[in-house]
Amino acid sequence: MTQELREKLIDLLQTAYSAELETAENYLSWSVNLDGLHAQTIKEMLAKDVQVELAHARLLAERIYVLGGVVPGSMQLNKNQRYLQPSQEQSGIDYVVRGVVTAEESAIQHYRLLAEMAEGADPATQDLAVRLLADEEMHRREFTGILREIEDREVAAGRMSEEEKHCLTY
Ligand SMILES: [Fe+2]
Ligand SMILES: [Fe+2]
């Protein structure tokens, strides 16, 4: 593996590590914050996923270490998930479910890129990216199932048209 590729992979692993921690932070907060009639199931799913995303962060940290990189500290972590922030207006299940699907979709794209970059040069990093990709696809699937149900209800109530359904885009 060239030095250039090693640095690129470390960079992608660090970005993924940061995103996993941010995801864990937001899932933790929503696993407590969420209100509403059907909130309990989603809160439990999010609480369970906090542990999974933290486990992902640990695996990424170990891979960064093996490749000779530095696992970032808190001051070096990026924050990007504007779509999962608690606010007065956005406290509903719909908002959270859409936000979770967006977070998972973003992780999926990142792990696809990481797997592609590592292919042929770093099988262990590629293997890790593929394993995490499968987990995130499962998370996305679980939450798009719920999103579909929410949006079908919105359509039935005349608050949304078939074309506006977000679940169709994932
Ligand atoms: Fe993850
Ligand atoms: Fe996930």
Side-chain angles (χ1 to χ4, degrees), residues 36-159:
L37 198 54
H38 304 290
Q40 201 51 42
T41 310
I42 294 168
K43 289 168 89 153
E44 283 165 18
M45 287 168 76
L46 289 171
K48 189 192 83 194
D49 285 350
V50 169
Q51 302 308 319
V52 178
E53 310 299 11
L54 285 176
H56 288 173
R58 164 160 284 279
L59 291 168
L60 291 160
E62 287 168 359
R63 196 65 205 151
I64 292 166
Y65 176 75
V66 168
L67 289 179
V70 178
V71 182
S74 62
M75 302 290 283
Q76 295 165 301
L77 299 176
N78 298 317
K79 303 290 177 202
N80 298 304
Q81 293 179 356
R82 281 174 217 289
Y83 50 83
L84 266 178
Q85 302 306 302
S87 75
Q88 297 275 276
E89 312 86 63
Q90 301 279 28
S91 60
I93 289 174
D94 307 20
Y95 173 78
V96 175
V97 171
R98 285 199 185 97
V100 169
V101 171
T102 305
E104 297 298 338
E105 186 63 23
S106 156
I108 286 165
Q109 280 169 11
H110 191 75
Y111 291 130
R112 276 182 190 281
L113 175 67
L114 181 60
E116 234 169 73
M117 294 296 295
E119 192 176 2
D122 183 352
T125 296
Q126 185 188 11
D127 178 61
L128 176 60
V130 170
R131 278 159 55 207
L132 300 190
L133 173 65
D135 283 358
E136 311 304 12
E137 284 180 342
M138 178 57 96
H139 293 162
R140 176 179 63 177
R141 179 63 189 85
E142 286 167 353
F143 280 87
T144 45
I146 297 170
L147 186 58
R148 192 173 300 263
E149 204 177 280
I150 291 169
E151 293 186 337
D152 284 347
R153 217 177 298 143
E154 293 282 294
V155 171
R159 287 191 292 267

